[in-house]
Amino acid sequence: MGKHSNTLKTLRAIALEHGAAEQPDLALMARELGRVVHQNAPAMAARLAPLHARRRGFERWLLAERSKPALSVLVMAWPPNHLTPVHDHAGLWGLELTLHGALEVQSYRRDPVSGDLRMQGLDWLGPGDATWFEGDRHYAHRCRNLSRYDTALTLHVYGGNLAEYLAYEQAEPAGRWIAQPQRSAIAGHLLR
């Protein structure tokens, strides 16, 4: 995986620099990260080929982690047509940027009293495109790889370690949402 390390090191450095504040400017971070991806898209697709060729299912790879201010940077591999459940981010701020492929992100708002979820928006992200969310305990989303055949790769920057979060499932089509605690797993480290 050494061939893609220079681009990943650049992305990691940008995330660490912009994530130095407790509440970073996520739009600025997204622009800087997206610029690197857009400038290097064909080369990066070739360099990241070993990750999207693995075919081992959904995986999370750690690029960087620090405690003050809290920050984690990950690369995620999304198998063809993979769909997450609606899930929150435990109140952390976050930014998600597509490196390879295309991702659909459905945003939800959870009612603080009833717990019901209401869809608020839909984004489609191609290479270099990002979406982000502030540290809001009532924000949730669902992500899907739009390809039936190819693994998508995304970069995620979070204001902390997303070790535990809640996934939401609707009991019946118009029924109440049930929250289920989840734990995140890391497949390994991409850079040391």
Side-chain angles (χ1 to χ4, degrees):
M1 298 209 195
K3 287 183 177 180
H4 63 271
S5 66
N6 286 341
T7 304
L8 290 178
K9 284 179 183 176
T10 301
L11 294 173
R12 176 179 70 183
I14 291 168
L16 289 169
E17 177 185 340
H18 287 279
E22 289 292 330
Q23 290 296 321
D25 183 338
L26 297 174
L28 179 59
M29 185 189 306
R31 280 193 303 274
E32 291 295 314
L33 292 168
R35 179 185 53 78
V36 170
V37 173
H38 284 294
Q39 287 176 345
N40 299 295
M44 187 162 42
R47 289 180 189 131
L48 293 172
L51 281 181
H52 63 82
R54 287 173 56 87
R55 305 275 186 218
R56 293 194 181 162
F58 179 78
E59 292 183 314
R60 300 169 78 237
W61 294 85
L62 189 63
L63 276 182
E65 191 172 39
R66 77 165 173 231
S67 58
K68 290 191 181 174
L71 181 83
S72 59
V73 184
L74 304 135
V75 170
M76 296 186 193
W78 302 77
N81 225 21
H82 181 79
L83 175 69
T84 68
V86 176
H87 60 282
D88 66 19
H89 290 83
L92 300 178
W93 60 261
L95 179 143
E96 300 176 356
L97 174 119
T98 302
L99 299 173
H100 174 80
L103 204 66
E104 175 185 79
V105 181
Q106 298 173 349
S107 299
Y108 290 81
R109 177 90 179 142
R110 187 172 52 82
D111 185 284
V113 176
S114 70
D116 288 339
L117 290 164
R118 183 171 309 234
M119 191 167 138
Q120 298 226 297
L122 186 61
D123 293 309
W124 292 283
L125 309 176
D129 296 338
T131 187
W132 57 88
F133 45 91
E134 304 297 329
D136 179 356
R137 291 207 168 273
H138 305 295
Y139 173 81
H141 69 208
R142 174 188 339 234
C143 302
R144 179 172 66 98
N145 178 355
L146 292 172
S147 176
R148 290 186 191 170
Y149 311 106
D150 197 17
T151 297
L153 298 172
T154 54
L155 180 80
H156 298 248
V157 183
Y158 297 128
N161 180 0
L162 187 62
E164 296 179 3
Y165 60 94
L166 295 174
Y168 300 92
E169 183 179 311
Q170 213 166 12
E172 49 195 59
R176 292 191 117 1
W177 290 87
I178 300 166
Q180 299 289 332
Q182 304 291 312
R183 293 197 52 78
S184 299
I186 301 291
H189 297 263
L190 288 179
L191 301 173
R192 292 285 178 169

